Amino acid sequence: MQTTRAPLLPEPARRFAAWCVVLLLGAGVAALGIWLCIVFKTAVTPVLLAILGTALLGPLYRRLLKMKVRKGLAAALTVVAVLTVVGGATYIVVVALIETGDEIIASLRQAATDIAKHLGAAGTSLDDLAKNARTLLERFGGTAASGVISGLSVVGQTLATAVLALLLIFFFLKDSDRVAGALRSLVPRDTGDLVESMARRAFEAVEGFMRGTTLVALVDAVLIGVGLVVLDVPGAVGLAALVFVTAYIPYLGAFLSGAVAVLVALADRGFVIALWVLGIVLAVQVIEGNVLQPFVQSRTVQMHPAVVMLAITAGASVAGVLGMLLAVPLTAAATGILGALRTRYGAPPDPADKTS
C-alpha cells in the first residue's frame, strides 16, 4: 500500500523560500550588471549619455521628419542643434562663472568667517579647518603642477566620450525605426512583444524625465536668477547657471544651489537680503513641487521622492557625480519596465469590483 508523505515544509514556508530564491537571483543579476558597467564604463558611459540625449532630442527629430526632411539629414541637423545649444549654454555658463567666480568664492569665504565668529569655540574649529583646507589646496596645487599630463589625459577622455556620445545620438536617431526589429531578433519569438513593450515604456519614461527636468531646470534658473538680479546679489548669472545645472539632480541639486545663493547673499548683502534670497528659493521650490512637477509627472512616470533619493545615493556610491546624474533616469526606465510587466502579468480585475 502506497502512502503519501507529508511535505517537509508547510506551504507558506515554501512560498517564502521561492521568493527568496527569486530575489537573490535578481540581486545577483543586478550586481553582475552593475559590475560589468563599471568595468566597461569607457564604453557604457557614452551609450547612456547618448540614450539620454536621444530621449531629449526625439521630439525635434520627429518634427523634422514630419517636415519631409530625410532621416540622415534630420539626425544631422538635430546633432548640430545640440552642439549649438549646448555649446552656447556652456559658453554662457563658463563666462559667467569666470566673471563672477571670484565674487562668489570671496563671498563664501566671508560667510564662513562670519559664521566662525558667531559660533565661538566651534567657530575656532571652523577657522582652523579653513586654514588647513587652504594648506591642503596649496599642497594639491603643487602636486597638480607636476601632473599636467594626467590632467590632459582626463580632458582628452572627456572629449572623446562627448564625441562618441554625439555620434551615437546621430545613429540612434537615424536608425530608431529599426530598434524594434533588432530587439525582436535578439529574443525568442514568443517574448518579442513583451521585450518591445518593455523597451518602449522604458524609453518613454526616460524621454519624459529628460524633457520635464529640462523644463523645470530652465524655469527654476530664470526665476531664481531674476530674483538675485533684483536683490543685487553678486554673481547672479553664475548662480542661476548653477541652479540650472544642479536641477538635473532632483531635490539634492536644489538644496546645494540654494544654499550657495543664500551664503553669497549673506556675506555680501547682509542678513536681511539673505532671508529674501532664502524666501525666493523656497517659493520657487514650492512652485516646482506643487505646479511644475505635478504637471510634468502627470505626463510621464511618477516616482516617490524617497525612491528618487535612494536612487541618487546609490548612484553616487557607484559612480560619483555621473552616477547621481544617471541614477534617476535609469530608475525611471526601470519603473517603466515594471509597468510593462505589471500590465502583462498583473492580476486581472475582480468581476465583483465591476458590478459593485
Side-chain angles (χ1 to χ4, degrees):
M1 181 177 178
Q2 188 176 2
T3 59
T4 58
R5 299 177 57 184
L8 182 62
L9 295 174
E11 182 65 20
R14 283 183 290 168
R15 290 184 178 181
F16 175 76
W19 276 110
C20 288
V21 172
V22 171
L23 292 176
L24 287 174
L25 288 176
V29 172
L32 178 61
I34 294 174
W35 179 78
L36 290 175
C37 289
I38 295 174
V39 172
F40 299 103
K41 62 180 180 181
T42 305
V44 172
T45 301
V47 173
L48 294 178
L49 293 176
I51 292 175
L52 297 182
T54 305
L56 181 61
L57 301 170
L60 175 60
Y61 173 73
R62 291 192 290 267
R63 178 162 296 186
L64 290 175
L65 291 182
K66 290 181 180 179
M67 297 170 61
K68 307 301 181 182
V69 180
R70 297 180 60 181
K71 291 191 295 185
L73 180 58
L77 290 175
T78 304
V79 173
V80 170
V82 173
L83 287 174
T84 304
V85 174
V86 174
T90 303
Y91 175 78
I92 293 173
V93 171
V94 170
V95 170
L97 291 178
I98 289 176
E99 292 180 351
T100 62
D102 293 337
E103 294 182 73
I104 294 175
I105 293 175
S107 299
L108 290 176
R109 186 181 295 118
Q110 183 62 38
T113 303
D114 295 340
I115 292 173
K117 290 180 180 178
H118 286 87
L119 289 181
T124 305
S125 300
L126 289 175
D127 191 34
D128 293 339
L129 180 61
K131 292 179 180 179
N132 293 333
R134 183 177 180 180
T135 303
L136 289 176
L137 287 175
E138 291 175 352
R139 292 180 181 177
F140 175 77
T143 305
S146 62
V148 176
I149 297 178
S150 177
L152 292 177
S153 176
V154 173
V155 173
Q157 184 178 356
T158 303
L159 291 176
T161 300
V163 171
L164 180 57
L166 287 174
L167 292 175
L168 289 175
I169 289 174
F170 171 80
F171 288 114
F172 286 172
L173 290 172
K174 179 176 176 292
D175 299 327
S176 57
D177 56 337
R178 303 180 185 177
V179 174
L183 287 176
R184 287 180 174 274
S185 65
L186 296 175
V187 299
R189 183 177 302 177
D190 297 338
T191 60
D193 292 337
L194 176 61
V195 171
E196 181 180 352
S197 175
M198 291 167 58
R200 289 186 184 278
R201 293 284 290 271
F203 187 77
E204 288 173 359
V206 174
E207 188 177 36
F209 169 80
M210 291 300 297
R211 286 185 299 179
T213 303
T214 302
L215 175 62
V216 171
L218 182 60
V219 173
D220 287 355
V222 170
L223 293 178
I224 293 178
V226 169
L228 294 176
V229 170
V230 171
L231 294 174
D232 196 22
V233 176
V237 178
L239 292 172
L242 180 65
V243 170
F244 180 82
V245 173
T246 56
Y248 284 91
I249 306 175
Y251 304 111
L252 182 61
F255 171 78
L256 293 176
S257 59
V260 172
V262 171
L263 287 175
V264 170
L266 176 65
D268 192 84
R269 300 300 313 281
F271 183 74
V272 176
I273 298 298
L275 286 179
W276 276 101
V277 173
L278 178 61
I280 291 174
V281 172
L282 293 178
V284 171
Q285 295 307 311
V286 169
I287 294 174
E288 175 187 334
N290 294 280
V291 179
L292 293 177
Q293 288 289 357
F295 176 76
V296 171
Q297 288 188 350
S298 64
R299 301 169 181 266
T300 61
V301 61
Q302 298 186 14
M303 290 183 292
H304 195 276
V307 176
V308 174
M309 293 303 298
L310 289 175
I312 293 174
T313 304
S317 64
V318 172
V321 177
L322 182 63
M324 295 172 67
L325 293 173
L326 296 176
V328 181
L330 291 178
T331 304
T335 306
I337 293 174
L338 291 176
L341 292 174
R342 191 183 303 111
T343 302
R344 180 70 177 268
Y345 297 110
D350 192 353
D353 295 338
K354 295 183 179 181
T355 57
S356 59

